[in-house]
């Protein structure tokens, strides 16, 4: 059972838009910035979004993040087959003194 | 090239020990906190441990507390994870990850190694 809650899977057609939710609590998302990671099969996680909605250099602007209260979302527009991956939200938890991750969401581009 | 490279993994029997290393290059290692994150086969990411720049702040996940020890050598640009009393449930790919907190009000794991597999089995 992960501290942050994500849907196990989402799917959408190419060129469409999909959102992935991440729910937490006041000790984690409610008090700290949220980061998102993309993990392709057999690869290490890659930072996709940091500080709730900032894109690292080299990340496509088709990806965007948002946060409200104790929940955050990742949106991917103009879906492409290469976006098929596992996506994780993460943040620091002040009560646990630990990094906490969502359980991951598998994105399928139909 | 900016990178992290893990080593030291392998097959170990339950109750055994293993020491993972993470070699950093291409950046000033001593300016960053570092972390270990693991991923069991077919499962999600699980944070294991964090160590601050000067090693004065160290945190562990409850699942490894008392069994694992994180350390670093800034002169050697290296991070370590000493794993004792290993269990089958410790089987995972172990990643080292750099933590960037240079932007006020946030922190994030921005650089990850490729990972190193640890298998605990008799």
């Amino acid at each position: 059972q992960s501290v942050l809650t994500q849907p196990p899977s989402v799917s959408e057609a190419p060129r469409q838009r999909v959102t992935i939710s991440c729910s937490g609590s006041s000790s984690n998302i409610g008090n700290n910035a949220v980061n998102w990671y993309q993990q392709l099969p057999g690869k290490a996680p890659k930072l996709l979004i940091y500080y709730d909605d900032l894109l690292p250099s080299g990340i496509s602007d088709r990806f965007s993040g948002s946060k409200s209260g104790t929940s955050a979302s990742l949106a991917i527009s103009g879906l492409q087959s290469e976006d098929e991956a596992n996506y994780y939200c993460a943040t620091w938890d002040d009560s646990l003194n630990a990094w906490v991750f969502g359980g991951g969401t598998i994105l399928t581009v139909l | 090239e900016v990178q992290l490279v893990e080593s030291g993994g392998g097959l170990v029997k339950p109750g055994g020990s293993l020491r993972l290393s993470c070699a950093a290059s291409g950046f000033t290692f001593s300016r960053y906190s570092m972390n270990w994150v693991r991923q069991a086969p077919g499962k999600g990411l699980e944070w294991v441990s964090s160590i601050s720049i000067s090693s004065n702040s160290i945190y562990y996940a409850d699942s490894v507390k008392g069994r694992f020890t994180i350390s670093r050598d800034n002169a050697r640009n290296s991070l370590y994870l000493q794993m004792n009393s290993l269990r089958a449930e410790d089987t995972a790919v172990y990643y080292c990850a750099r933590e960037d907190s240079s932007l006020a009000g946030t922190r994030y794991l921005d650089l990850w190694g490729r990972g190193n597999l640890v298998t605990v089995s008799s």
Side-chain angles (χ1 to χ4, degrees):
Chain A
Q1 188 84 7
S2 301
V3 173
L4 305 181
T5 301
Q6 298 179 233
S9 63
V10 295
S11 60
E12 186 52 88
R15 298 179 298 280
Q16 298 305 306
R17 182 178 185 270
V18 70
T19 61
I20 298 172
S21 62
C22 176
S23 177
S25 67
S26 58
S27 64
N28 44 66
I29 293 179
N31 207 36
N32 293 292
V34 176
N35 311 309
W36 290 90
Y37 298 89
Q38 178 192 61
Q39 188 177 34
L40 298 170
K43 301 293 187 181
K46 180 172 78 171
L47 181 66
L48 208 58
I49 296 284
Y50 68 102
Y51 206 174
D52 300 334
D53 59 8
L54 298 183
L55 269 67
S57 173
I59 300 299
S60 169
D61 60 5
R62 296 188 298 106
F63 296 92
S64 62
S66 63
K67 188 179 87 170
S68 178
T70 58
S71 294
S73 291
L74 171 70
I76 311 172
S77 60
L79 278 171
Q80 302 174 4
S81 59
E82 66 201 52
D83 297 329
E84 288 198 331
N86 212 334
Y87 293 85
Y88 294 90
C89 57
T91 188
W92 182 259
D93 190 295
D94 294 328
S95 294
L96 298 175
N97 279 324
W99 280 99
V100 290
F101 289 89
T105 299
I106 298 174
L107 169 63
T108 301
V109 181
L110 300 170
Chain B
E1 182 185 359
V2 176
Q3 64 177 353
L4 298 168
V5 179
E6 302 93 341
S7 61
L11 176 63
V12 61
K13 290 181 168 53
S17 298
L18 213 53
R19 188 196 196 206
L20 300 183
S21 299
C22 172
S25 59
F27 65 97
T28 306
F29 178 74
S30 59
R31 293 183 181 176
Y32 294 88
S33 294
M34 296 295 296
N35 292 261
W36 288 100
V37 178
R38 69 184 181 184
Q39 186 170 35
K43 302 297 184 182
L45 300 172
E46 179 191 16
W47 170 80
V48 173
S49 183
S50 292
I51 186 167
S52 62
I53 291 170
S54 56
S55 304
N56 58 356
S57 289
I58 289 176
Y59 301 104
Y60 296 99
D62 286 344
S63 57
V64 306
K65 203 171 293 183
R67 300 187 299 122
F68 290 10
T69 302
I70 192 172
S71 62
R72 64 188 295 163
D73 185 337
N74 288 339
R76 295 178 182 273
N77 295 326
S78 294
L79 174 72
Y80 306 101
L81 185 68
Q82 177 66 44
M83 303 184 294
N84 299 330
S85 303
L86 282 162
R87 306 166 179 167
E89 53 264 36
D90 295 318
T91 294
V93 173
Y94 285 73
Y95 296 99
C96 63
R98 184 179 76 175
E99 180 173 325
D100 192 330
S101 55
S102 58
L103 185 61
T106 191
R107 57 204 294 182
Y108 47 94
L109 305 178
D110 68 332
L111 178 67
W112 297 62
R114 290 186 177 184
N116 201 214
L117 178 62
V118 171
T119 304
V120 184
S121 174
S122 55

